[in-house]
Amino acid sequence: MHDRRPATPISEFARYLRTETVGGVVLVVATAIALLWANSPWAPFYQAMRDTVVGPAALHLDLTLAHWATDGLLALFFFVVGLELKRELVIGELSTRSQALLPVAAALGGMIVPALLALVISYGSPGAGQAWAIPVATDIAFALGVLALAGSAMPVTARVFLLGLAVADDLGAIVVIAVLFSSGVQVLWLGAVALAAALYWWLQRRRVRAWWIYVPLGLFTWFAMHEAGVHATISGVLLGLLTRVRPDPDEEFAPALRLEHRLQPWSAGLCVPVFALFAAGVPIGPEALRSVVTEPVALGVIVGLLAGKIIGIFGACWMVVKLTPASRPRGLSWRDLAAVSMLGGVGFTVSLLIAELSLAEHPGLLETAKAAVLVASAAASLIGAAMLVRRGRARARENGDAEGGPAPAS
């Protein structure tokens, strides 16, 4: 039987990078609008819009627009993450133990070290008991966008490593969200989630392709997850992981690939930017910026993202390469790997989500923590980009020396 699997991941991977680069730019624009709006004379209108309640109270869905962006739109984003994660686990960069070892170890290091640093720095402060989770995340769209813009001279293995790292990191962040931010779990509704997920899995195995079945089923799964007391975005990951990623002989593409192709532009171009529009509007005046570097929780977030990520990711890679048969990604030196590791400090979307979940009972501290996420993510982007540009120039010089130096002027 002819096997189309090798061609599919390669073409999809190239398309994925192009989409996420554009999505990263849209995300930056949405964040800039939110910051300008929240710090303008029209700030009261921004706050009123964010707090506007919409939805039927009888179904417990009378939520603010900001809440709808967090629980609703990000569910689609996490569905796309689930699809990508399933594909990488089955036929992609995480499909074998040897392939997965380095990016998974890097992701673990990039979660544990930032969390420990944030916990140590903020220990004893209000909100520190849960805010330590804020710097564990890496924004896959933003990080890949910076790499694509500033790391054009890097080999493709840098992108493969960063993608594997970010996907594994997303899985860890999803586990953190599911475990830490589920309250008053309702067993009956959780059972309804399990039944809906089982039906989705069965329909996938029966090769059913009718969208008018899947859309209501997906909405019900989201609603049941919301009623069960588990963060509703987990429903997106769950269904993504249950989607088929291997095409049948008569299929040009597997369902997971078709869904990614259709939904990723909506996720990167609408869902995540709208979430950022509601989440990133924080005060950035002198007093607010001063609190970012004096408030222990905010300082823990900054140190966790800027120092903890590169130490954890690079340190885990070094240990794995030294202690196991694993090797560095082909064509990457240790300095190249350090530059890529710096991009792990771009927390952004998921870090903002975790901040909103962990500090919901501390609204003043929440605004400071979100400002810390924005400051640290921007700094990590700029530092990472500078390191990548410097490594690109060094690689160009090394290649020139290897070829005998530049040609003489005529």
Side-chain angles (χ1 to χ4, degrees):
M1 183 177 67
H2 180 63
D3 187 1
R4 270 188 288 256
R5 283 179 292 163
T8 298
I10 293 173
S11 61
E12 172 62 11
F13 180 62
R15 187 199 63 76
Y16 180 85
L17 289 178
R18 289 196 298 270
T19 302
E20 292 301 334
T21 301
V22 174
V25 173
V26 176
L27 184 57
V28 170
V29 172
T31 302
I33 292 174
L35 288 171
L36 291 172
W37 196 353
N39 291 274
S40 72
W42 299 280
F45 176 69
Y46 172 81
Q47 189 65 42
M49 181 191 66
R50 194 164 63 173
D51 295 338
T52 299
V53 176
V54 177
L59 296 177
H60 304 142
L61 292 179
D62 48 336
L63 310 175
T64 65
L65 290 180
H67 201 161
W68 275 113
T70 299
D71 280 16
L73 292 180
L74 282 193
L76 180 60
F77 164 74
F78 275 104
F79 179 64
V80 174
V81 169
L83 293 172
E84 180 66 23
L85 178 59
K86 176 69 175 289
R87 195 171 61 80
E88 293 299 323
L89 288 171
V90 176
I91 58 175
E93 297 304 320
L94 305 178
S95 59
T96 66
R97 186 165 58 182
S98 60
Q99 286 178 306
L101 183 57
L102 195 65
V104 169
L108 286 174
M111 295 179 69
I112 293 171
V113 176
L116 288 176
L117 285 176
L119 188 59
V120 168
I121 292 172
S122 63
Y123 184 76
S125 300
Q130 288 183 299
W132 59 265
I134 296 173
V136 304
T138 293
D139 189 293
I140 192 170
F142 217 127
L144 285 171
V146 174
L147 179 62
L149 292 172
S152 58
M154 303 291 281
V156 71
T157 49
R159 293 169 172 81
V160 172
F161 170 76
L162 184 59
L163 177 60
L165 160 68
V167 167
D169 189 284
D170 275 346
L171 177 59
I174 289 162
V175 172
V176 168
I177 292 171
V179 172
L180 292 185
F181 307 115
S182 299
S183 58
V185 175
Q186 303 295 317
V187 177
L188 289 179
W189 278 111
L190 208 56
V193 171
L195 289 176
L199 177 58
Y200 182 92
W201 177 86
W202 182 80
L203 291 170
Q204 285 286 297
R205 293 306 172 273
R206 297 292 296 177
R207 277 39 180 181
V208 174
R209 297 180 60 177
W211 67 266
W212 50 270
I213 296 178
Y214 285 116
V215 171
L217 181 59
L219 292 174
F220 175 78
T221 306
W222 178 90
F223 174 72
M225 190 74 79
H226 181 271
E227 291 298 290
V230 180
H231 198 264
T233 53
I234 303 300
S235 62
V237 181
L238 176 63
L239 296 183
L241 290 173
L242 294 174
T243 305
R244 282 195 303 117
V245 297
R246 295 185 188 275
D248 288 338
D250 61 337
E251 288 182 311
E252 184 177 3
F253 300 110
L257 202 57
R258 291 198 304 270
L259 285 169
E260 275 193 75
H261 178 75
R262 293 172 182 172
L263 297 179
Q264 198 166 49
W266 291 100
S267 171
L270 177 67
C271 297
V272 175
V274 169
F275 166 74
L277 181 65
F278 285 107
V282 296
I284 53 173
E287 185 177 345
L289 292 177
R290 190 182 307 114
S291 64
V292 167
V293 294
T294 57
E295 169 60 47
V297 166
L299 195 57
V301 170
I302 292 177
V303 174
L305 286 173
L306 285 181
K309 279 291 186 179
I310 188 170
I311 293 172
I313 294 171
F314 186 82
C317 289
W318 186 87
M319 289 180 62
V320 166
V321 170
K322 295 298 181 182
L323 300 178
T324 73
S327 58
R328 293 196 310 270
R330 180 172 48 84
L332 289 186
S333 68
W334 283 115
R335 292 183 180 181
D336 296 332
L337 202 57
V340 176
S341 298
M342 189 68 234
L343 297 182
V346 184
F348 215 85
T349 306
V350 183
S351 287
L352 287 174
L353 172 60
I354 295 176
E356 294 203 337
L357 296 176
S358 62
L359 298 174
E361 298 179 359
H362 305 274
L365 184 58
L366 170 59
E367 297 299 298
T368 303
K370 290 200 293 186
V373 170
L374 296 177
V375 169
S377 297
S381 300
L382 294 174
I383 296 171
M387 294 173 70
L388 287 168
V389 169
R390 183 175 180 179
R391 287 307 305 153
R393 291 173 179 170
R395 295 175 69 87
R397 286 196 301 269
E398 291 167 4
N399 292 336
D401 291 342
E403 295 171 3
S410 56

